[in-house]
Each structure stands twice: as C-alpha cells, then as structure tokens.
Amino acid sequence: MQDLLIIGSTAFDTIITPTQRRDYIIGGSASHAAYGAAFFTKTRLCGIVGSDWTPEHTKLFTDRGIAVDDLEIRPDGKTFFWMGEYSQDMNIRTTLETQVNVLGEFSPNLTPASRRSPYLFLANGSPVTQMQAIDQCTELKFVVADTMNFYIASQRAELLELLKKIDGLVLNDEESEMLTGKKDIFAAAEQLCGMGPRFVIIKKGAHGSLYFSPTALFTLPAYPTRKLAEPTGAGDCFAGAMMGYIAGQDATDLQTIKTAIAYGTVAASFTVEDFSFDALKRCTREDIDARFREFQEMLRF
Amino acid sequence: MQDLLIIGSTAFDTIITPTQRRDYIIGGSASHAAYGAAFFTKTRLCGIVGSDWTPEHTKLFTDRGIAVDDLEIRPDGKTFFWMGEYSQDMNIRTTLETQVNVLGEFSPNLTPASRRSPYLFLANGSPVTQMQAIDQCTELKFVVADTMNFYIASQRAELLELLKKIDGLVLNDEESEMLTGKKDIFAAAEQLCGMGPRFVIIKKGAHGSLYFSPTALFTLPAYPTRKLAEPTGAGDCFAGAMMGYIAGQDATDLQTIKTAIAYGTVAASFTVEDFSFDALKRCTREDIDARFREFQEMLRF
C-alpha cells in the first residue's frame, strides 16, 4: 500500500434536481476523489478552503483516514462555491452560479510527506496548479490527471504541456471531443495518446467507460444502480477510487488498471445514489467489495 | 440444437452515410436476424419478397444453411424498400423513402416444419403478423419479439396483446420510453415486464444492452469495434444471434441468456463494420468465437 496524493478543488455545492434541493453540501473534484480513494489506500488531500469550512467538514475526511495536512484553510476568504441544476431526465446540468473565492489563489506548497507520494491524482482543476504539484513531487511513479471543458477552453496551452508529464488522462466524452475535435471516441482517444499520456480513460457517465492505449482497448459498463439521486462527483469518485486501488496494490500493469477501473465504477455507483458523498459515507470496504463481486458476476458469461 | 423460426421484414435498402452510398442492398429485420442466428442453430426464415428478388439473394441465405421454405416470393410486386441517411456522427438516421410494396400483404401461412419450431423470434414487424406466427406454431418453448416506433404508434393495441404472449421483448431505449412514457430505463423495463414478458432487453446501440426481469438485472457494453461503417441491422442481428445461441443450446436459463446476449453483441459488432451483412458474410463461427473470447477477456477483472 502506497501513498496517493490527490490535488484539486474542494468546494461547497448547492444542487437542484427535479425533486430535491440541497444547499451548501461538500463537493469538489478532490473531495470526491479522496473520499473514493480512501477505501483502498493511504490518501492525502491537497486543496484550499475558506472561513466557511468547519472542523466538522475536515472530520469527514479524517474519519476515513485521509491526511489533510495539505488542506489549506484561508480565514480571509470563502470556499469555492458551485450551484447547479439538473434537467428532468438528469442528463443535462446547468450551472446557475460559480464563486471562485479562495480557489483563485490556490498555489500548493506541499508538505514533505506529500512530496514523497509515489502516486498522484490531479483531480479536475487548473493545469497550472496540476503542474505545480508534479513539479513538487520527487518520487513519482504514476500520475493521472482529469480535466474539464473550462480548462480545455481557457488554459489549453498549459493543459497540452501537462499532457506530456502524465501517465494517464481521464476525461469525459464531450471533453475528449473538445480537446481533439474528433467526435469518434476511439479516434479522439488515439489522438490524445499521441499528445503525451500512455493511456486515456473516457468517462461516459451512465454508459460506463472506455480505456484506450496504443496496445489495449476495453470498455466497462456502468454498474446499473436503480437509485439515481444525482450524479455530481461520480466521475471524480470513479477516478479517485481507481487511483486508490492502484496505489493500494502498488502496481500499474493492465490487469490491475482494469480491476481499478471496475472498483472506480462501483464506488461511483454509490456516489450517484445520494447527494455529495452521503451514500459512500454509509459504506464500508465490505459494501464496496460485495458490489464489486456482483459486478464481476454480472459480466461473466 | 433446435429449430429457430424467424419472421419479419425482408427488404432492399439504400443507405447513405457521410462517406459512402450503397443502393439496393439486402436489409430487413428478419434478414439480419436470420443471418446472425445461422451461426448457432438451424434457422428458418419467414418473410415476403417481390419480383426484384433473385435466386442469388436467396442463395445468400441457403449458403448459410438457412431454410427458406417460408420465404414467399410474389412475382406481382416489389420487395419492401427503405432508404435512409446517417448524420455526420452516425447517431441520427433519417428515413428518405419507404416503399411498403409486398410487405403490405404479408400474411404468413407457415409450412408444417416451421409450425413445429420450438423457438420463435418475431423480428421487427407488424404485431398482427407477429401474432399470426405465434398462432400457427404448435410446439413453442420460447418466444421473443422485437418492435419499433412505427408499430408502437400505429398498432399499439395489437402490440399490447402480443406482449401477453411472449417470453421476452427486445427494443431500443427510445422505443421503451415511447411504449411506457418512462425516460428512466429501469422504470421502463420494469413496467414492460408488468405488461406480459418475463424479461426485457433494451438495446442501447453503441452503449450496449440492458437485461431486466423481476429477479435479475445486468448490462453488457457493446464490443468496441473501431471499424464502424454503418449500423443498419445491428440490433436485428444482435437479437437473431442471441436467439440462435439459445435455440442451439436448447436452454433458457439466465446464464444461457446472458451468454446469448454476449454472442448477439459480438455478431452485431461485425454487422456495423460493413453495409448489409457483408462483414458477417466474411465470418466463420470461429471468427465469432474468437471475438467472443476477446469480449469475455475484456470484461474479466
């Protein structure tokens, strides 16, 4: 079991679905990723929050053994805030409000222990900040990054530089098209592999994920949970849990990555069953493993 | 190995994709289904064609061992014709022309051998014709039907009657919503199971398929072929190959159905690689099995 450092956004979200509304719940790419990863390995969370963040919020992470030495608390500002609303069929998400707040000043200065992490997951965030984390880590074995439409549009040059420094890239199907101009998911993945990473994982939401490298191609469906509450953070949890499993195994061969993707799929299937990571909060590693075995069995023929 | 009777449309298609056009190629739900099924069991094709159908067309089926005693050839009319065009990303299909022709007079009078088929696949077609086939078969063990938006809209009452007579229903995600009014795929499948069939298989195209019954739920992805030419007939081939495998095994337990769905997925992945069933024409059962094993391995973690 090896340390996994996760860096990205820590946020408060207000989320509206056709049937429910929740105000000021914990969100953010690094939060969801770390919560998912902590089922599998020693996880370090690097992010920035403001004066509205309380010890109770921190305790949610430390209760799961997540190291928060690199969670910077800025008393002079407020935590990044995002407010979004889902459409009737939950397929379309509209951003109603974004307050960047202290995230705009995020410039991590990692603790010595975090700098020694061999595994690094760069959750959704600015490629500038993502590169700062890479530059500070001295013993990296395996680095995977996530990104999103906002940074593809606004920091493309920095993102293209980052791609040269990572082992794997995780992004969704719309983002893969945005970054490459290619609608065909395989062609997009192939082009992305030519831009730096050894492999690309394209997240397709309810339709599962696709792994692509110059030598391997496979796809897994999403676990078919019937209890969809709302999907915010599912993609972050997917990638975080995947990286947690990889760091926990301290192995990066193809079969380990595939098992890791399956565990990520299972962890994400809990995320969508409630708001924030409330469903995962009720889970033990045994619950994850039980659903993992069910997922294995589902795909055995 | 048991006989499988397949009844549905036999057609000529003209298909336009962003890069190619093919005129007057073999199409139709029963054609594609029978061609897929014939890899696995003794298949009987019931359909109707016109004077434009030649012995060479028939030979495509008999070369694969498909019995064509129930393929009615009407010299006084022309074969059902469909012309469609795919959008740039192949996701949207627009019908440019439909000539019903002899299909409008299709009223099967099955041969004695076909009436004794224990397995029956009612490929996409009028529920009136589908019901006629059920009524003529005397030794049925297992009946699965496919349907489509046209019949859901125009012959809903007849379709609802048919649902009470079948073991399984195969349809795509849009059609399941159209038939139930439910956008949620699980809710739609559950409602459909309350309308007659023991199970429902929802086809999601490039996103695979979902099996639902009151006691089981599983999903399989599509086989990720990179050689997409055009997808016409893939769903018919999927269901036909699935039924062919089931009849070939003479078993309808859940694990057999799951394996059958996987074989259907693999057969359909060849269909999309060329026009009509040209890619499958180049396949042997060994080619199907090789890709099936690759698909199995892809989903093993």
Side-chain angles (χ1 to χ4, degrees):
Chain A
M1 188 178 289
Q2 296 284 326
D3 279 16
L4 168 64
L5 173 63
I6 295 178
I7 181 169
S9 64
T10 37
F12 286 118
D13 291 344
T14 288
I15 291 170
I16 303 168
T17 73
T19 56
Q20 292 183 78
R21 175 190 173 121
R22 297 289 173 87
D23 286 279
Y24 241 66
I25 55 179
I26 290 191
S29 62
S31 308
H32 281 286
Y35 210 88
F39 286 98
F40 305 98
T41 203
K42 174 72 184 168
T43 304
R44 304 181 154 275
L45 171 63
C46 176
I48 189 166
V49 294
S51 57
D52 46 358
W53 188 270
T54 70
E56 282 66 40
H57 294 120
T58 298
K59 189 169 179 296
L60 287 171
F61 294 94
T62 53
D63 277 353
R64 290 287 172 140
I66 297 168
V68 294
D69 315 313
D70 291 282
L71 182 63
E72 184 182 352
I73 301 174
R74 292 279 286 266
D76 58 336
K78 290 179 73 183
T79 304
F80 176 79
F81 174 80
W82 176 80
M83 181 170 172
E85 180 166 10
Y86 285 93
S87 64
Q88 193 62 40
D89 60 0
M90 305 292 281
N91 282 335
I92 301 164
R93 183 167 80 177
T94 309
T95 292
L96 301 179
E97 191 180 342
T98 303
Q99 297 173 14
V100 178
N101 296 334
V102 295
L103 187 65
E105 297 151 46
F106 187 31
S107 179
N109 181 14
L110 295 172
T111 54
S114 284
R115 288 173 190 248
R116 289 192 301 270
S117 289
Y119 291 88
L120 173 61
F121 178 54
L122 305 165
N124 215 334
S126 158
V128 174
T129 314
Q130 291 176 320
M131 189 69 99
Q132 287 172 344
I134 289 182
D135 287 342
Q136 291 175 34
C137 290
T138 54
E139 297 175 32
L140 289 176
K141 278 187 180 176
F142 192 70
V143 183
V144 169
D146 197 341
T147 193
M148 69 181 290
N149 48 11
F150 178 76
Y151 300 109
I152 295 171
S154 64
Q155 300 185 30
R156 177 177 278 265
E158 293 84 350
L159 181 57
L160 294 180
E161 276 308 300
L162 182 81
L163 291 183
K164 298 175 187 165
K165 306 282 187 181
I166 61 177
D167 296 283
L169 176 67
V170 175
L171 74 182
N172 73 30
D173 39 8
E174 284 172 21
E175 292 155 358
S176 73
E177 181 185 339
M178 193 174 167
L179 194 45
T180 64
K182 292 200 156 59
K183 268 190 181 297
D184 178 273
I185 195 170
F186 305 112
E190 185 168 34
Q191 183 171 327
L192 289 169
C193 278
M195 294 157 81
R198 290 194 289 117
F199 66 88
V200 173
I201 296 169
I202 298 184
K203 299 178 287 187
K204 304 188 293 172
H207 301 306
S209 62
L210 180 90
Y211 172 98
F212 185 95
S213 80
T215 55
L217 168 64
F218 61 83
T219 185
L220 290 184
Y223 174 90
T225 177
R226 295 195 59 189
K227 292 184 262 175
L228 177 64
E230 61 91 18
T232 310
D236 304 311
C237 177
F238 163 83
M242 174 189 86
M243 284 297 285
Y245 181 79
I246 288 170
Q249 298 292 310
D250 193 19
T252 61
D253 60 285
L254 188 63
Q255 197 59 37
T256 300
I257 292 177
K258 196 196 286 184
T259 305
I261 291 174
Y263 266 114
T265 302
V266 165
S269 77
F270 283 105
T271 302
V272 305
E273 293 180 355
D274 205 339
F275 287 80
S276 187
F277 35 74
D278 286 0
L280 275 181
K281 265 194 262 177
R282 296 187 291 268
C283 278
T284 62
R285 172 67 190 262
E286 288 65 41
D287 297 321
I288 301 277
D289 281 339
R291 188 173 285 188
F292 176 83
R293 286 190 297 271
E294 196 194 324
F295 192 46
Q296 268 183 324
E297 185 54 36
M298 184 178 286
L299 298 172
R300 186 169 293 146
F301 49 79
Chain B
M1 189 179 290
Q2 297 283 326
D3 278 16
L4 168 65
L5 173 63
I6 294 178
I7 181 169
S9 64
T10 37
F12 287 119
D13 292 343
T14 289
I15 291 169
I16 303 168
T17 73
T19 56
Q20 293 184 77
R21 175 190 171 121
R22 297 288 173 87
D23 286 280
Y24 242 65
I25 55 179
I26 290 191
S29 63
S31 308
H32 281 286
Y35 209 87
F39 286 97
F40 305 98
T41 203
K42 174 73 184 167
T43 304
R44 304 182 154 275
L45 171 64
C46 176
I48 188 166
V49 294
S51 58
D52 46 357
W53 187 270
T54 71
E56 282 66 42
H57 293 120
T58 299
K59 190 169 179 295
L60 287 171
F61 294 93
T62 53
D63 277 352
R64 290 288 173 140
I66 298 168
V68 294
D69 316 314
D70 291 282
L71 182 64
E72 185 182 352
I73 300 174
R74 292 280 287 266
D76 58 337
K78 290 179 74 182
T79 304
F80 175 79
F81 174 79
W82 177 80
M83 181 170 171
E85 179 167 10
Y86 285 93
S87 64
Q88 193 61 39
D89 61 359
M90 305 292 281
N91 282 334
I92 301 163
R93 184 167 79 176
T94 310
T95 292
L96 301 178
E97 192 179 341
T98 303
Q99 297 173 16
V100 176
N101 297 334
V102 296
L103 187 65
E105 297 151 46
F106 187 31
S107 179
N109 181 15
L110 295 172
T111 55
S114 284
R115 287 173 190 249
R116 290 192 299 270
S117 289
Y119 291 88
L120 174 62
F121 177 54
L122 305 164
N124 215 335
S126 158
V128 174
T129 315
Q130 290 176 320
M131 189 71 98
Q132 287 173 346
I134 290 180
D135 286 344
Q136 291 175 34
C137 290
T138 54
E139 298 176 33
L140 289 176
K141 278 186 182 177
F142 192 71
V143 183
V144 169
D146 197 341
T147 192
M148 69 181 289
N149 46 11
F150 178 77
Y151 300 109
I152 295 171
S154 64
Q155 300 185 33
R156 177 176 279 266
E158 294 84 349
L159 180 58
L160 294 180
E161 276 309 301
L162 182 82
L163 292 184
K164 298 174 188 165
K165 305 282 188 181
I166 60 178
D167 296 283
L169 177 67
V170 175
L171 74 181
N172 73 31
D173 40 7
E174 284 173 21
E175 292 155 359
S176 73
E177 181 185 341
M178 193 173 166
L179 194 45
T180 64
K182 292 200 155 61
K183 268 190 182 294
D184 177 274
I185 195 170
F186 305 111
E190 185 167 34
Q191 183 171 326
L192 289 168
C193 278
M195 294 158 81
R198 291 194 287 116
F199 65 88
V200 174
I201 295 168
I202 298 184
K203 299 178 288 186
K204 303 189 292 172
H207 300 306
S209 62
L210 180 91
Y211 172 98
F212 185 95
S213 81
T215 56
L217 169 64
F218 62 82
T219 185
L220 289 184
Y223 174 89
T225 177
R226 294 195 59 187
K227 292 184 260 175
L228 177 64
E230 60 91 18
T232 309
D236 304 311
C237 176
F238 163 84
M242 173 190 85
M243 284 298 285
Y245 181 80
I246 288 169
Q249 298 292 309
D250 193 20
T252 61
D253 59 284
L254 188 64
Q255 196 59 37
T256 299
I257 292 176
K258 196 196 286 184
T259 304
I261 291 174
Y263 266 114
T265 302
V266 165
S269 77
F270 284 105
T271 302
V272 305
E273 293 180 354
D274 205 339
F275 286 81
S276 188
F277 35 74
D278 286 0
L280 275 181
K281 263 194 264 176
R282 297 186 291 267
C283 278
T284 62
R285 173 66 190 264
E286 287 65 41
D287 297 321
I288 302 275
D289 281 339
R291 188 173 285 190
F292 176 83
R293 286 189 297 270
E294 195 194 325
F295 192 46
Q296 269 184 322
E297 185 55 35
M298 185 178 285
L299 297 171
R300 187 168 293 146
F301 49 78

